[in-house]
Amino acid sequence: MIEETSKQNIELRIQMASEAYQSLKKTTVKERAAFMNAVADRIEALGEELLTTAHTETSLPLARLTGEKARTAGQWRSYAKAVASGIYTESRIDLAQPEKQKSDIRKYNIGLGPVVVFGASNFPFAFSTAGGDTASAIGAGCPVIVKAHPAHPQTSQMMADVITDTVKEFGWPQGIFSHITGTSHEIGAFLTQHKDIHAVAFTGSFNGGKALFDAASRRENPIPVFAEMGSINPVFALQQLLENKAKALAKEYVTSLTLGVGQFCTNPGVFIARKGESLDTFISAVKNEIQEISPAPMLHKGIYESFKKHKSIAITQAGVEVIASTETEEGKGSAAVIKTNAQNFINNPVLSEEVFGPFGIIVTCENQGELIQISQKLKGQLTITLAATSDDIHENSELIDILKDKCGRLLFNGMPTGVEVVYGMQHGGPFPSTTDARFTSVGPDAVKRFVRPISFQNWPNEFLPEELKNENPLQINRMVDGEINSESLKLETV
Amino acid sequence: MIEETSKQNIELRIQMASEAYQSLKKTTVKERAAFMNAVADRIEALGEELLTTAHTETSLPLARLTGEKARTAGQWRSYAKAVASGIYTESRIDLAQPEKQKSDIRKYNIGLGPVVVFGASNFPFAFSTAGGDTASAIGAGCPVIVKAHPAHPQTSQMMADVITDTVKEFGWPQGIFSHITGTSHEIGAFLTQHKDIHAVAFTGSFNGGKALFDAASRRENPIPVFAEMGSINPVFALQQLLENKAKALAKEYVTSLTLGVGQFCTNPGVFIARKGESLDTFISAVKNEIQEISPAPMLHKGIYESFKKHKSIAITQAGVEVIASTETEEGKGSAAVIKTNAQNFINNPVLSEEVFGPFGIIVTCENQGELIQISQKLKGQLTITLAATSDDIHENSELIDILKDKCGRLLFNGMPTGVEVVYGMQHGGPFPSTTDARFTSVGPDAVKRFVRPISFQNWPNEFLPEELKNENPLQINRMVDGEINSESLKLETV
């Protein structure tokens, strides 16, 4: 039973967030980093209870949850380190040149203001209440209001308590973090349209993300929404690689497709290759591999029902052949892989829709031209994978040029599941995989979504933020007259 | 007489831009920088003819146009230098750690795709066909389609020829730059809604910018619009400063207000101060200063008519007193300053609307509370100016905290007109001054609007872009495993 936070209480929390923003905006990057590390400490200190609660609420195995918990603390730490380095302040100092009538102009990034984060169901720790969106917004200097995902309320509450306790420990205003619960869509619309909310972060379905984007764009003062809405993450298997290792690739593909009952945003839902003996070998191997997969409980009933429905819609399309499926078992996600030809895939948009769960489509192409045709028709994706040898890459430059325009992350072999939390990660991509391809929601660069620059012209040193003061008290890297350094400025006058 | 580019021709140019993007995306930052410097050379080489043409078309004085021409070439050069440094590629390399099962992940920024730029009327060089938007989009790696401002068609054509000639000189595909002319609003909507357009840059009126933003947000695949829509750029005169130098401030204010017949986005349209002797002195001085200003021709008939209309609307509002105005002369922008009290200003939204031209409002406050009230009610601004002493700043920290949330650039004395083209410049601000406060349209950072990251996972070195190759052939700064350096990587295996 999820408690619905009342409108009155939400209003109060937004007001508290606005007030807290005034404090947070005056913290330095070092202070926010210390806070973030303290949150990481507290997450790590949560014991068995967190894991068993999350396991009960999500059906995710304990081993996976143990890993996700470590990842979540790691996110707070790595984002903290990045924030502390000052990289996201992008501090720029252009010193006055009185002889050229040029002013002293200094710029750095501040937080946008209160941010609403919508927790996701498929990562109860890493993409939820205390997940990457919350960490990056706080790192940016923004108070956060989390709308908890209703599928794991107790897990969310435990994570919310961690942040609330850290706020208390630091003596910061309570409004820096709020936790809203409820199941109605109205809450999301209300939060997104509220005049004192300055940005929204979301991970979930296309319909959910797009509705928030639309609501935000239609406000009197539009605000940015970063919605990560998933994708079908195509795998293009090229000829030489397929000939070399069709069987091994089938194992790798099925493992990735069914990992975590297929409930990853980067699940490789489509496999595209040219017809022939190698593809036949691949398909036979997929059949065998799928038989090895036991149906497992999905995250929650809604996801299970949706999987069952969308799988059934896909399977019953014309020109589709089921090549492998596991026994169905009520309440569990049973894997299936279907096959269709390129023209059918291109002409039937239903087959390009994400089926969230362990479900794959193998698209068979008559020739190279059909691979190109498919790539041209593809919508924006989080990832695209090339199962290829170097020779394959050499011979498919046109295809690869097109695929670069369609995704945020391009893999050379391997599988897209497993989104590493590093600077180099782009977890984003052209619409409809996200609402803004210019940003990522994984890796420290996620902070960039929530900052904006402010310039100070001829501002007295004593009133500048620490990040921009002559002395460079935080010893961060800054660009001074076009050169990056961490020096303090010795100026004759202020 | 403006020629209307036909729909058919526009379609063709968009198709050419899409094709050219495939080439541009493969250029290195050094190659694009060389191109940009070549454009700067050609702009500088344009002689008297450019200046006299622009003077005839815009009525702007030759001296101003000479300066603006130098600024425009300077923009291309300084953006080129920044692009060449690799700063906007934000190259990140996270090396593989096989023992931790971590992949090699490398990320850099590429251009979004074809960008549409809407030229502005008030800077026929710097914010128009070959202005900062065009320079920053090409620097990002995006082909540009300029919709020329109809107020200075020949000037635009000369600038377009400069870019077209540079494209030829470099042997680059023609589609990298296109120049569309016409007067209908339909062209703007058509370009913004076209599926192959990936971003829009605009400088102009609120209505124009907001219409493009709405059209872009409502596309099937929304695209980013950076619209700089101007603002009223309030000046808050604080007590001590006003007491110290009311007369000098009046001279400075009137000079800025009437500079270029008031046709700057950063024109200080509102002056706010507490009632008293000092303000009376200021007002008397403003009266005198305004008498010294001769009416001058405005940019074009449309702007003149709009100025006349909006000035008249403002003057005829209740509770408004005209304190100074110059003789009116048909076709010329004659300056005026009105006065109203804080409550009237707060309660009548008409008085917060930008009157584009030499028109100012002095808002008189009864007390400090009214200054705070006004600051709270302010919409987003490009700039806010504090006319203040250090003591004033000390005593007005609440006010300044609020003002930081309302603008992109905060000045300590001086006037906001004169937007320096430096890294530290933020020419942007919260809505409605722009559609996205996270970006600037002046300074090299303007490039950031038009790039998106793409990650390469486990990609063979030979197929990586130059920016990410082990050898670091471009010798740019990159973040390698969290540390920024310009070293080449000595890896045992690829």
Side-chain angles (χ1 to χ4, degrees):
Chain A
M1 185 61 201
I2 312 286
E3 201 191 324
E4 296 273 332
T5 308
S6 68
K7 279 249 168 91
Q8 200 182 1
N9 197 10
I10 295 174
E11 274 289 1
L12 176 67
R13 298 305 309 198
I14 294 174
Q15 193 190 318
M16 287 167 67
S18 295
E19 286 163 20
Y21 170 66
Q22 295 304 327
S23 297
L24 205 48
K25 156 173 118 175
K26 286 174 201 156
T27 56
T28 66
V29 289
K30 307 287 186 197
E31 288 165 332
R32 294 201 297 280
F35 178 90
M36 295 163 79
N37 282 322
V39 171
D41 290 345
R42 283 180 187 268
I43 291 173
E44 279 166 355
L46 287 175
E48 280 301 296
E49 199 193 339
L50 176 76
L51 299 174
T52 52
T53 304
H55 174 64
T56 308
E57 290 188 324
T58 66
S59 305
L60 292 170
L62 286 170
R64 144 75 194 269
L65 289 167
T66 305
E68 191 184 324
K69 182 187 153 197
R71 175 205 171 118
T72 305
Q75 283 178 171
W76 282 90
R77 283 198 204 291
S78 69
Y79 297 8
K81 192 177 171 190
V83 165
S85 78
I87 186 172
Y88 300 119
T89 69
E90 294 181 288
S91 298
R92 320 273 203 218
I93 298 176
D94 291 285
L95 297 171
Q97 294 177 278
E99 70 287 2
K100 293 187 183 170
Q101 294 183 299
K102 284 192 179 282
S103 306
D104 182 296
I105 304 186
R106 304 181 186 209
K107 178 169 78 171
Y108 86 136
N109 288 333
I110 59 172
L112 291 175
V115 169
V116 172
V117 169
F118 291 87
S121 67
N122 61 341
F123 281 85
F125 307 148
F127 283 82
S128 194
T129 298
D133 286 340
T134 301
S136 50
I138 288 180
C142 300
V144 171
I145 296 172
V146 167
K147 162 65 179 63
H149 198 285
H152 46 262
Q154 285 180 287
T155 306
S156 289
Q157 190 57 56
M158 292 172 81
M159 285 300 202
D161 290 344
V162 157
I163 303 177
T164 305
D165 290 347
T166 313
V167 170
K168 278 186 201 143
E169 178 193 333
F170 274 64
W172 283 7
Q174 252 195 295
I176 284 177
F177 178 78
S178 292
H179 195 227
I180 306 286
T181 58
T183 51
S184 84
H185 286 298
E186 270 173 51
I187 294 185
F190 179 78
L191 286 164
T192 302
Q193 286 163 352
H194 196 286
K195 70 176 176 43
D196 292 329
I197 295 302
H198 285 71
V200 171
F202 169 91
T203 305
S205 69
F206 175 78
N207 289 339
K210 184 62 167 42
L212 295 176
F213 175 84
D214 289 342
S217 304
R218 287 170 189 169
R219 288 167 55 122
E220 193 188 323
N221 59 335
I223 58 171
V225 171
F226 185 87
E228 191 267 82
M229 303 179 288
S231 61
I232 54 174
N233 304 293
V235 177
F236 285 80
L238 302 183
Q239 209 50 35
Q240 199 179 67
L241 189 284
L242 197 60
E243 283 165 17
N244 292 352
K245 46 172 281 195
K247 271 194 183 172
L249 185 61
K251 190 179 176 66
E252 203 182 357
Y253 178 68
V254 171
T255 303
S256 178
L257 186 72
T258 59
L259 192 72
V261 205
Q263 299 166 119
F264 291 108
C265 310
T266 55
N267 192 48
V270 179
F271 183 95
I272 302 145
R274 281 174 66 174
K275 267 187 179 170
E277 243 176 75
S278 304
L279 185 57
D280 293 342
T281 308
F282 174 86
I283 291 173
S284 306
V286 165
K287 282 184 200 181
N288 293 334
E289 294 295 339
I290 285 280
Q291 304 312 322
E292 304 296 312
I293 307 296
S294 310
M298 297 190 79
L299 286 160
H300 56 85
K301 196 159 178 293
I303 281 192
Y304 166 73
E305 296 291 350
S306 170
F307 173 63
K308 214 168 77 171
K309 177 179 151 196
H310 288 103
K311 184 171 80 167
S312 149
I313 291 174
I315 285 176
T316 54
Q317 296 300 301
V320 154
E321 177 191 340
V322 177
I323 63 161
S325 73
T326 58
E327 294 288 300
T328 58
E329 204 176 316
E330 188 59 23
K332 294 190 175 177
S334 49
V337 176
I338 63 173
K339 189 177 90 168
T340 195
N341 68 38
Q343 292 312 313
N344 201 33
F345 181 74
I346 289 168
N347 294 320
N348 184 350
V350 171
L351 297 172
S352 291
E353 275 168 29
E354 185 179 5
V355 178
F356 194 76
F359 180 79
I361 305 183
I362 296 172
V363 182
T364 62
C365 297
E366 293 293 333
N367 49 45
Q368 187 63 14
E370 287 194 334
L371 267 87
I372 299 281
Q373 257 186 291
I374 289 174
S375 68
Q376 282 164 336
K377 282 278 179 179
L378 273 183
K379 291 182 178 176
Q381 305 289 332
L382 293 171
T383 73
I384 292 176
T385 301
L386 276 297
T389 64
S390 281
D391 285 350
D392 285 328
I393 300 291
H394 262 300
E395 284 161 20
N396 286 274
S397 59
E398 184 190 354
L399 175 69
I400 288 154
D401 278 348
I402 299 166
L403 297 181
K404 282 181 183 171
D405 298 345
K406 304 285 183 158
C407 70
R409 178 163 55 111
L410 198 58
L411 291 91
F412 180 74
N413 296 311
M415 284 290 148
T417 43
V419 182
E420 294 179 26
V421 185
V422 291
Y423 277 107
M425 178 51 62
Q426 171 62 2
H427 191 64
F431 191 90
S433 66
T434 73
T435 48
D436 194 339
R438 295 176 296 176
F439 297 98
T440 180
S441 65
V442 175
D445 285 349
V447 171
K448 292 199 272 181
R449 296 172 294 172
F450 305 118
V451 293
R452 71 174 179 94
I454 179 167
S455 287
F456 297 88
Q457 185 163 332
N458 290 331
W459 210 252
N461 191 55
E462 61 172 318
F463 301 115
L464 285 168
E466 299 294 291
E467 286 79 356
L468 294 176
K469 281 196 160 91
N470 291 335
E471 310 85 277
N472 193 11
L474 306 176
Q475 296 184 284
I476 58 174
N477 273 330
R478 313 187 293 188
M479 183 184 276
V480 181
D481 286 339
E483 301 294 329
I484 292 171
N485 65 56
S486 60
E487 289 163 21
S488 66
L489 302 172
K490 315 265 184 289
L491 300 183
E492 279 175 34
T493 53
V494 175
Chain B
M1 183 61 200
I2 312 286
E3 200 190 327
E4 295 273 334
T5 308
S6 69
K7 278 249 167 92
Q8 200 182 2
N9 197 11
I10 294 175
E11 274 288 0
L12 174 68
R13 298 307 306 200
I14 294 174
Q15 194 190 316
M16 285 166 68
S18 295
E19 286 163 19
Y21 171 65
Q22 294 304 327
S23 297
L24 205 49
K25 154 173 118 175
K26 287 175 203 156
T27 57
T28 67
V29 289
K30 306 288 184 196
E31 288 166 332
R32 294 201 296 280
F35 178 89
M36 295 163 79
N37 282 322
V39 171
D41 290 344
R42 284 180 187 268
I43 290 173
E44 279 166 357
L46 288 175
E48 280 300 298
E49 198 193 340
L50 176 77
L51 299 175
T52 51
T53 303
H55 174 65
T56 307
E57 291 188 323
T58 65
S59 305
L60 292 171
L62 286 171
R64 142 77 193 268
L65 289 168
T66 304
E68 191 183 326
K69 181 186 155 198
R71 174 205 171 118
T72 305
Q75 284 178 169
W76 283 88
R77 282 198 205 290
S78 69
Y79 297 8
K81 192 177 170 192
V83 165
S85 79
I87 187 173
Y88 300 118
T89 69
E90 293 181 289
S91 298
R92 320 274 203 217
I93 297 176
D94 291 284
L95 297 171
Q97 294 177 280
E99 70 288 1
K100 293 187 183 170
Q101 294 182 298
K102 284 193 179 277
S103 306
D104 182 296
I105 304 185
R106 306 183 183 207
K107 179 169 76 173
Y108 87 137
N109 289 333
I110 58 173
L112 291 174
V115 169
V116 171
V117 168
F118 290 88
S121 68
N122 60 340
F123 281 85
F125 307 148
F127 282 83
S128 195
T129 299
D133 286 341
T134 301
S136 49
I138 288 180
C142 300
V144 171
I145 297 171
V146 168
K147 162 65 179 65
H149 198 286
H152 45 261
Q154 284 179 288
T155 306
S156 288
Q157 189 57 56
M158 291 172 83
M159 285 299 200
D161 291 344
V162 156
I163 303 177
T164 305
D165 290 347
T166 313
V167 170
K168 278 187 200 144
E169 177 193 334
F170 274 64
W172 284 7
Q174 252 195 296
I176 283 176
F177 179 79
S178 293
H179 194 227
I180 305 286
T181 58
T183 52
S184 85
H185 285 297
E186 270 173 52
I187 294 184
F190 179 78
L191 286 164
T192 301
Q193 286 164 350
H194 195 287
K195 70 177 176 44
D196 292 328
I197 294 303
H198 285 70
V200 171
F202 169 91
T203 304
S205 70
F206 176 79
N207 289 339
K210 185 61 166 46
L212 294 176
F213 175 84
D214 289 342
S217 304
R218 288 171 187 168
R219 288 167 56 121
E220 193 188 323
N221 59 334
I223 57 170
V225 171
F226 186 86
E228 191 268 84
M229 304 178 289
S231 61
I232 54 174
N233 304 293
V235 177
F236 285 80
L238 302 183
Q239 210 49 37
Q240 200 180 68
L241 190 285
L242 197 60
E243 281 165 17
N244 291 352
K245 46 174 279 195
K247 271 195 183 171
L249 185 61
K251 189 177 176 69
E252 204 182 357
Y253 178 69
V254 171
T255 302
S256 178
L257 187 72
T258 59
L259 191 71
V261 205
Q263 300 166 117
F264 290 108
C265 308
T266 55
N267 191 48
V270 178
F271 184 96
I272 301 144
R274 281 175 66 175
K275 268 187 176 168
E277 243 177 74
S278 304
L279 185 56
D280 292 342
T281 309
F282 174 86
I283 291 172
S284 307
V286 164
K287 283 185 199 179
N288 294 334
E289 293 294 339
I290 285 281
Q291 305 312 323
E292 304 296 312
I293 308 296
S294 310
M298 297 189 78
L299 286 160
H300 57 86
K301 195 158 180 290
I303 280 192
Y304 166 73
E305 296 292 349
S306 170
F307 173 64
K308 213 169 78 168
K309 176 177 152 196
H310 288 102
K311 185 172 79 167
S312 148
I313 291 174
I315 286 176
T316 53
Q317 296 299 302
V320 154
E321 177 191 339
V322 177
I323 63 161
S325 72
T326 57
E327 294 288 300
T328 59
E329 202 176 316
E330 187 59 21
K332 293 190 176 179
S334 49
V337 176
I338 64 173
K339 189 176 88 165
T340 194
N341 68 39
Q343 292 312 314
N344 201 32
F345 181 74
I346 289 168
N347 295 321
N348 184 351
V350 170
L351 297 173
S352 291
E353 276 169 29
E354 185 179 1
V355 178
F356 194 75
F359 179 79
I361 304 183
I362 296 172
V363 182
T364 62
C365 298
E366 292 294 333
N367 49 45
Q368 187 63 13
E370 287 193 334
L371 266 86
I372 299 281
Q373 257 187 292
I374 290 174
S375 69
Q376 283 165 334
K377 282 278 179 179
L378 272 182
K379 291 183 179 177
Q381 305 288 334
L382 293 172
T383 73
I384 292 176
T385 301
L386 276 297
T389 64
S390 281
D391 285 349
D392 285 328
I393 300 291
H394 263 299
E395 285 161 23
N396 285 274
S397 58
E398 185 190 353
L399 175 68
I400 288 154
D401 279 347
I402 300 166
L403 297 181
K404 282 181 184 173
D405 298 344
K406 304 285 183 161
C407 70
R409 178 162 55 111
L410 198 58
L411 291 91
F412 180 74
N413 297 310
M415 284 290 149
T417 43
V419 182
E420 294 180 26
V421 185
V422 292
Y423 277 106
M425 177 51 62
Q426 172 61 2
H427 190 66
F431 191 90
S433 66
T434 73
T435 48
D436 194 339
R438 296 176 296 177
F439 297 97
T440 179
S441 66
V442 175
D445 285 348
V447 172
K448 292 199 272 181
R449 297 173 291 171
F450 306 117
V451 293
R452 71 175 178 93
I454 179 168
S455 287
F456 298 88
Q457 184 162 332
N458 290 331
W459 211 251
N461 190 55
E462 62 172 317
F463 301 115
L464 285 169
E466 300 294 291
E467 286 80 356
L468 294 176
K469 282 195 162 94
N470 291 334
E471 309 86 275
N472 194 11
L474 305 176
Q475 295 183 285
I476 58 175
N477 273 331
R478 313 186 294 187
M479 183 182 278
V480 181
D481 286 341
E483 302 295 329
I484 293 173
N485 64 57
S486 60
E487 289 164 22
S488 65
L489 303 172
K490 314 267 184 288
L491 300 182
E492 281 175 31
T493 54
V494 177

